[in-house]
Amino acid sequence: MAGILAWFWNERFWLPHNVTWADLKNTEEATFPQAEDLYLAFPLAFCIFMVRLIFERFVAKPCAIALNIQANGPQIAQPNAILEKVFTAITKHPDEKRLEGLSKQLDWDVRSIQRWFRQRRNQEKPSTLKRFCESMWRFSFYLYVFTYGVRFLKKTPWLWNTRHCWYNYPYQPLTPDLHYYYILELSFYWSLMFSQFTDIRRKDFGIMFLHHLVSIFLITFSYVNNMARVGTLVLCLHDSADALLEAAKMANYAKFQKMCDLLFVMFAMVFITTRLGIFPLWVLNTTLFESWEIVGPYPSWWVFNLLLLLVQGLNCFWSYLIVKIACKAISKGKVSKDDRSDIESSSDEENSEPPGKSPHTATTTNGTSGTNGYLLTGPCSLDD
């Protein structure tokens, strides 16, 4: 074990040339990031999760009820023993051959059976009230941590001149504000990592899991080798759009459509500007080029920059989805289900006749136009 630890903490990997771990030990004059500090994130992540439960129950839920958001879930499928047996024991997504067989057995048309399966799948989805509470919690935390980050960074020299991220590196003392900011962000991402398995399940579960994993690794990595200054820029920049998205979702659940549309437009503008403009031109420029000039490359420097490039790849993926939904909204005046939908509802379910009868033709999604469809089903956590 001692040999494994010595290999893992190899100074020639983690630190620039001629720098040792002994040089970064805490003294009376200066405090530096220590790997053991990161253990604080686990109990704090648990505390954040407990605060979330209390917040959703005693703050978010009363707010939702005051806005007349009901706890009703999706439309209940008509009871049918045969279809229920197929749904629970065989498949939740019957193929064409099985649909035709059920159609002959029940004397229903295929479209009605498809609708029944969609409604039955949606019965297991959470209610609008639960969605609102989840979004309100995320909105509150993102707003707080972004506000804290801005207040902290505006007093630092590296916000105004990114070259200060590398001057005297790695002998840059750890301030209490920076330490709190880092541990809070890391704790929140750990809480998201675990709560993702109990939260509303979305089709991009794998992508979001990868995003949380990369974020945790990036925060941990940059703290250990004291790249915390540039790390704070990354964190604050990626928190800038998240509160707007959650606010737009809340407006959508409360059926404030004009506010929802406005907030979504603001979110899209901030997201694309920060993730595709400021991040590569400002942050990646300093981590790739200014640091090369001032400090020079070393093994962990390459890993850190590869992680940032992976984050940028995720930013491009989500920006593509946002632009795709925005183009649909402009061209059609409405938004249909997008690739990240977490509920399979559609107007032919909500405005349908009983099975066996001809359904009405749907003309809108969820009875509204604008960005409503996207915000019901769009990204939940983009730093994101």
Side-chain angles (χ1 to χ4, degrees), residues 339-381:
D339 297 331
R340 298 197 60 195
S341 65
D342 54 348
I343 186 166
E344 295 179 275
S345 63
S346 63
S347 54
D348 65 1
E349 294 175 53
E350 297 173 1
N351 303 313
S352 59
E353 297 283 349
K357 295 184 181 181
S358 299
H360 295 298
T361 302
T363 58
T364 60
T365 300
N366 297 324
T368 62
S369 60
T371 58
N372 190 32
Y374 172 79
L375 290 162
L376 270 175
T377 61
C380 179
S381 181

Coordinates of all heavy atoms in Angstrom, one line a residue, residues 339-381:
D339 N -34.6 15.6 -27.4 CA -33.8 14.4 -27.1 C -33.6 14.2 -25.7 O -33.2 13.1 -25.3 CB -32.5 14.5 -27.8 CG -32.6 14.6 -29.3 OD1 -33.6 14.1 -29.8 OD2 -31.8 15.2 -30.0
R340 N -33.8 15.2 -24.8 CA -33.6 15.0 -23.4 C -34.9 14.8 -22.6 O -34.9 15.0 -21.4 CB -32.8 16.2 -22.8 CG -31.4 16.4 -23.4 CD -30.6 17.3 -22.5 NE -30.5 16.6 -21.2 CZ -30.1 17.3 -20.2 NH1 -29.8 18.5 -20.2 NH2 -30.0 16.6 -19.0
S341 N -36.0 14.5 -23.3 CA -37.2 14.5 -22.6 C -37.2 13.4 -21.5 O -36.7 12.4 -21.6 CB -38.4 14.1 -23.6 OG -38.2 12.9 -24.1
D342 N -37.9 13.8 -20.4 CA -38.0 12.9 -19.2 C -39.4 12.5 -19.0 O -39.7 11.9 -18.0 CB -37.4 13.6 -18.0 CG -38.1 14.9 -17.7 OD1 -38.8 15.4 -18.6 OD2 -37.9 15.5 -16.6
I343 N -40.3 12.9 -19.9 CA -41.7 12.4 -19.8 C -42.2 12.3 -21.2 O -41.9 13.0 -22.1 CB -42.5 13.4 -19.0 CG1 -43.9 12.8 -18.8 CG2 -42.6 14.8 -19.7 CD1 -44.7 13.6 -17.8
E344 N -43.0 11.2 -21.5 CA -43.3 10.9 -22.8 C -44.8 11.4 -23.1 O -45.4 10.9 -24.0 CB -43.3 9.4 -23.0 CG -41.9 8.9 -22.9 CD -41.9 7.4 -23.1 OE1 -42.1 6.7 -22.1 OE2 -41.6 6.9 -24.2
S345 N -45.2 12.4 -22.4 CA -46.6 12.9 -22.6 C -46.6 13.6 -24.0 O -45.7 14.2 -24.5 CB -47.0 13.9 -21.5 OG -46.1 15.0 -21.5
S346 N -47.8 13.6 -24.6 CA -48.1 14.3 -25.8 C -49.5 14.7 -25.8 O -50.3 14.2 -25.1 CB -47.7 13.5 -27.0 OG -48.5 12.4 -27.1
S347 N -49.9 15.6 -26.7 CA -51.3 16.0 -26.8 C -52.2 15.0 -27.1 O -53.4 15.0 -26.8 CB -51.4 17.2 -27.7 OG -50.9 16.8 -29.0
D348 N -51.8 13.9 -27.9 CA -52.7 12.9 -28.2 C -53.0 12.0 -27.0 O -54.0 11.2 -27.1 CB -52.2 12.0 -29.4 CG -51.0 11.3 -29.1 OD1 -50.5 11.3 -27.9 OD2 -50.5 10.6 -30.0
E349 N -52.3 12.1 -25.9 CA -52.6 11.4 -24.7 C -53.6 12.2 -23.9 O -54.5 11.8 -23.4 CB -51.4 11.2 -23.9 CG -50.4 10.2 -24.5 CD -49.1 10.2 -23.6 OE1 -49.2 9.9 -22.4 OE2 -48.0 10.4 -24.2
E350 N -53.3 13.5 -23.8 CA -54.1 14.4 -23.0 C -55.5 14.7 -23.5 O -56.4 15.0 -22.8 CB -53.3 15.7 -22.8 CG -52.0 15.5 -22.1 CD -51.1 16.7 -22.0 OE1 -51.6 17.8 -22.5 OE2 -50.0 16.7 -21.5
N351 N -55.6 14.7 -24.9 CA -56.9 15.0 -25.5 C -57.4 13.8 -26.2 O -58.0 14.0 -27.3 CB -56.6 16.2 -26.5 CG -56.1 17.4 -25.8 OD1 -56.6 17.8 -24.8 ND2 -55.0 18.0 -26.4
S352 N -57.3 12.6 -25.7 CA -57.6 11.4 -26.4 C -59.0 10.9 -26.0 O -59.5 11.2 -25.0 CB -56.6 10.3 -26.1 OG -56.6 10.1 -24.7
E353 N -59.6 10.2 -26.9 CA -60.8 9.5 -26.7 C -60.5 8.2 -26.0 O -59.4 7.7 -25.9 CB -61.5 9.2 -28.0 CG -61.9 10.4 -28.8 CD -63.1 11.1 -28.2 OE1 -63.8 10.5 -27.4 OE2 -63.4 12.2 -28.7
P354 N -61.5 7.5 -25.4 CA -61.3 6.2 -24.8 C -60.8 5.2 -25.8 O -61.1 5.4 -27.0 CB -62.7 5.8 -24.3 CG -63.4 7.1 -24.1 CD -62.9 8.0 -25.1
P355 N -60.1 4.2 -25.5 CA -59.6 3.2 -26.4 C -60.7 2.6 -27.3 O -61.8 2.4 -26.8 CB -59.0 2.1 -25.5 CG -58.6 2.9 -24.3 CD -59.6 3.9 -24.1
G356 N -60.3 2.5 -28.6 CA -61.3 2.0 -29.5 C -62.0 3.0 -30.3 O -62.6 2.7 -31.4
K357 N -61.9 4.3 -29.9 CA -62.4 5.4 -30.7 C -61.3 6.2 -31.3 O -60.2 6.1 -31.0 CB -63.2 6.3 -29.7 CG -64.4 5.6 -29.1 CD -65.2 6.6 -28.3 CE -66.5 5.9 -27.6 NZ -67.2 6.9 -26.8
S358 N -61.7 7.0 -32.3 CA -60.7 7.7 -33.0 C -60.3 8.9 -32.2 O -61.1 9.7 -31.7 CB -61.3 8.3 -34.4 OG -61.7 7.2 -35.1
P359 N -59.0 9.1 -32.0 CA -58.5 10.2 -31.2 C -58.6 11.5 -32.0 O -58.5 11.5 -33.2 CB -57.0 9.9 -30.9 CG -56.6 9.0 -32.1 CD -57.9 8.2 -32.5
H360 N -58.7 12.6 -31.3 CA -58.6 13.9 -32.0 C -57.2 14.2 -32.4 O -56.2 13.8 -31.8 CB -59.1 15.1 -31.0 CG -60.5 14.9 -30.6 ND1 -61.5 15.0 -31.5 CD2 -61.1 14.7 -29.4 CE1 -62.7 14.9 -30.8 NE2 -62.4 14.7 -29.6
T361 N -57.1 15.0 -33.5 CA -55.7 15.4 -34.0 C -55.2 16.5 -33.1 O -55.9 17.5 -32.9 CB -55.8 15.8 -35.4 OG1 -56.4 14.8 -36.2 CG2 -54.5 16.2 -35.9
A362 N -54.0 16.3 -32.7 CA -53.3 17.3 -31.8 C -52.7 18.4 -32.6 O -52.1 18.1 -33.7 CB -52.3 16.7 -30.9
T363 N -52.7 19.6 -32.1 CA -52.1 20.7 -32.9 C -51.0 21.4 -32.1 O -50.2 22.2 -32.6 CB -53.2 21.7 -33.3 OG1 -53.8 22.2 -32.1 CG2 -54.1 21.1 -34.3
T364 N -51.0 21.2 -30.7 CA -50.0 21.9 -29.9 C -49.5 20.9 -28.9 O -50.1 19.9 -28.6 CB -50.7 23.1 -29.1 OG1 -51.7 22.6 -28.3 CG2 -51.2 24.1 -30.1
T365 N -48.4 21.3 -28.3 CA -47.8 20.5 -27.3 C -48.1 21.0 -25.9 O -47.8 22.2 -25.7 CB -46.2 20.5 -27.5 OG1 -45.9 19.9 -28.8 CG2 -45.6 19.6 -26.4
N366 N -48.7 20.2 -25.1 CA -49.1 20.6 -23.7 C -50.1 21.8 -23.8 O -50.2 22.6 -22.8 CB -47.9 21.0 -22.9 CG -47.0 19.8 -22.7 OD1 -47.5 18.7 -22.5 ND2 -45.7 20.0 -22.6
G367 N -50.7 22.0 -24.9 CA -51.7 23.1 -25.0 C -51.2 24.4 -25.1 O -51.9 25.4 -25.0
T368 N -49.9 24.6 -25.3 CA -49.3 25.9 -25.4 C -48.3 25.9 -26.5 O -47.9 24.9 -27.1 CB -48.6 26.3 -24.1 OG1 -47.5 25.4 -23.8 CG2 -49.5 26.3 -22.9
S369 N -47.8 27.1 -26.8 CA -46.7 27.3 -27.8 C -45.5 27.8 -27.1 O -45.4 27.7 -25.9 CB -47.2 28.3 -28.9 OG -47.4 29.5 -28.3
G370 N -44.6 28.4 -27.8 CA -43.3 28.9 -27.2 C -42.4 27.9 -26.8 O -42.2 26.9 -27.5
T371 N -41.7 28.0 -25.7 CA -40.7 27.1 -25.2 C -41.2 26.1 -24.2 O -40.4 25.4 -23.6 CB -39.5 27.9 -24.6 OG1 -40.0 28.6 -23.5 CG2 -38.9 28.8 -25.6
N372 N -42.5 26.0 -24.1 CA -43.1 25.2 -23.0 C -42.6 23.7 -23.1 O -42.2 23.1 -22.1 CB -44.6 25.2 -23.1 CG -45.3 24.6 -21.9 OD1 -44.7 24.6 -20.8 ND2 -46.4 24.0 -22.1
G373 N -42.6 23.1 -24.3 CA -42.2 21.7 -24.4 C -40.8 21.5 -24.0 O -40.4 20.5 -23.4
Y374 N -39.9 22.5 -24.4 CA -38.5 22.3 -24.0 C -38.3 22.4 -22.5 O -37.6 21.5 -22.0 CB -37.6 23.4 -24.7 CG -36.2 23.4 -24.2 CD1 -35.3 22.4 -24.7 CD2 -35.8 24.2 -23.1 CE1 -34.1 22.3 -24.2 CE2 -34.5 24.1 -22.7 CZ -33.7 23.2 -23.2 OH -32.4 23.1 -22.7
L375 N -38.9 23.3 -21.9 CA -38.6 23.5 -20.5 C -39.2 22.4 -19.6 O -38.8 22.2 -18.5 CB -39.1 24.9 -20.0 CG -38.3 26.0 -20.6 CD1 -39.0 27.3 -20.6 CD2 -36.9 26.1 -19.9
L376 N -40.2 21.7 -20.1 CA -40.7 20.5 -19.4 C -39.7 19.4 -19.5 O -39.6 18.6 -18.6 CB -42.0 20.0 -19.9 CG -43.3 20.6 -19.3 CD1 -44.5 20.1 -20.1 CD2 -43.4 20.3 -17.8
T377 N -38.9 19.4 -20.6 CA -38.1 18.2 -20.8 C -36.7 18.5 -21.1 O -35.9 17.7 -21.3 CB -38.6 17.5 -22.1 OG1 -38.5 18.5 -23.2 CG2 -40.1 17.1 -22.0
G378 N -36.3 19.8 -20.9 CA -34.9 20.2 -21.3 C -33.9 19.9 -20.2 O -34.2 19.2 -19.2
P379 N -32.7 20.3 -20.4 CA -31.6 20.0 -19.4 C -31.9 20.4 -18.0 O -32.4 21.5 -17.8 CB -30.4 20.8 -20.0 CG -30.7 21.1 -21.4 CD -32.2 21.2 -21.4
C380 N -31.6 19.6 -17.1 CA -31.8 19.9 -15.7 C -30.6 20.6 -15.1 O -30.7 21.6 -14.3 CB -32.2 18.7 -14.9 SG -32.4 19.0 -13.2
S381 N -29.4 20.0 -15.3 CA -28.3 20.6 -14.7 C -27.2 20.7 -15.7 O -26.5 19.7 -16.0 CB -27.8 19.9 -13.6 OG -26.7 20.4 -13.1

